[in-house]
């Protein structure tokens, strides 16, 4: 059975207080990450030049991590696909309005997460020149990103 995670607001950042998920949830998260990875590389071979930048890849990972907080994984996959189709990069998202973001987020709950995704995208665009930090310390400066999310994005997106 799917277990929702408990999150606490620490310095305006969402982080898990427990990280208990079922194997089924883990498999769904891996499938979601694999889908984004396949979009990043033409033939799935990591040795090839990607068809999307490292920053676009990191953005997709971040969106999936934020959406997965307090949301059942089955719902995340559908929303994530729509979101990354509408806003495939942080810069695209940064150009959106809060109303547009909330409209796309509708049904996931906890709208502060959507607000932080938009603020984070604007931060990456305006303060970092569209480049995501490559390490946990840098990612922690992005609005809405706490230690757990920063670690996940750094590990998945940048190895």
């Amino acid at each position: 059975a799917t277990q929702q995670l408990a999150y606490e607001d620490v310095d305006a950042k969402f982080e898990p207080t427990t990280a208990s998920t079922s194997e089924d949830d883990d498999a769904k998260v891996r499938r979601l990450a694999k889908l984004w990875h396949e979009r990043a590389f033409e033939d799935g071979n990591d040795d090839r030049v990607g068809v999307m930048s490292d920053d676009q890849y990191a953005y997709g990972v971040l969106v999936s991590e934020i959406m997965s907080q307090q949301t059942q994984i089955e719902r995340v996959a559908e929303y994530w696909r729509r979101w990354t189709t509408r806003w495939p990069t942080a810069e695209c998202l940064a150009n959106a309005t809060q109303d547009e973001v909330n409209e796309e987020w509708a049904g996931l709950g906890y709208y502060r997460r959507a607000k932080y995704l938009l603020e984070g995208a604007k931060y990456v665009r305006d303060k970092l020149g569209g480049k995501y930090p490559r390490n946990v310390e840098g990612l922690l400066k992005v609005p809405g990103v706490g230690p757990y999310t920063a670690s996940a994005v750094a590990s998945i997106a940048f190895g």
Side-chain angles (χ1 to χ4, degrees):
T2 301
Q3 178 182 354
Q4 292 201 4
L5 301 179
Y7 286 79
E8 59 186 35
D9 188 8
V10 179
D11 296 326
K13 298 176 182 190
F14 292 96
E15 291 305 316
T17 55
T18 62
S20 174
T21 60
S22 71
E23 289 182 41
D24 191 40
D25 286 347
D26 291 342
K28 289 173 186 167
V29 170
R30 282 193 300 275
R31 282 197 304 274
L32 188 61
K34 185 176 188 280
L35 174 68
W36 190 245
H37 182 79
E38 287 170 354
R39 281 181 63 183
F41 299 96
E42 288 181 26
D43 64 0
N45 182 347
D46 288 337
D47 295 332
R48 290 194 52 148
V49 175
V51 296
M52 70 171 63
S53 71
D54 288 347
D55 296 292
Q56 185 179 6
Y57 187 63
Y59 164 77
V61 172
L62 177 64
V63 170
S64 71
E65 288 293 324
I66 299 295
M67 283 185 172
S68 296
Q69 297 171 358
Q70 293 186 327
T71 304
Q72 294 178 345
I73 298 303
E74 300 86 35
R75 300 189 82 188
V76 170
E78 171 191 340
Y79 280 83
W80 179 84
R81 281 187 205 102
R82 271 198 338 244
W83 186 281
T84 56
T85 297
R86 184 170 183 178
W87 299 301
T89 66
E91 185 169 352
C92 292
L93 176 58
N95 293 325
T97 67
Q98 188 66 58
D99 286 341
E100 291 171 325
V101 168
N102 288 347
E103 178 184 307
E104 198 67 46
W105 193 268
L108 284 175
Y110 299 97
Y111 283 84
R112 285 177 48 155
R113 294 179 294 158
K115 178 181 176 236
Y116 286 133
L117 275 172
L118 180 56
E119 289 176 3
K122 288 179 179 181
Y123 177 85
V124 169
R125 179 194 64 194
D126 299 341
K127 304 286 186 194
L128 304 177
K131 302 286 184 188
Y132 275 91
R134 282 6 191 202
N135 58 43
V136 172
E137 295 76 23
L139 287 163
L140 285 170
K141 295 176 183 174
V142 177
V145 176
Y148 178 86
T149 301
S151 295
V153 172
S155 174
I156 295 167
F158 304 117

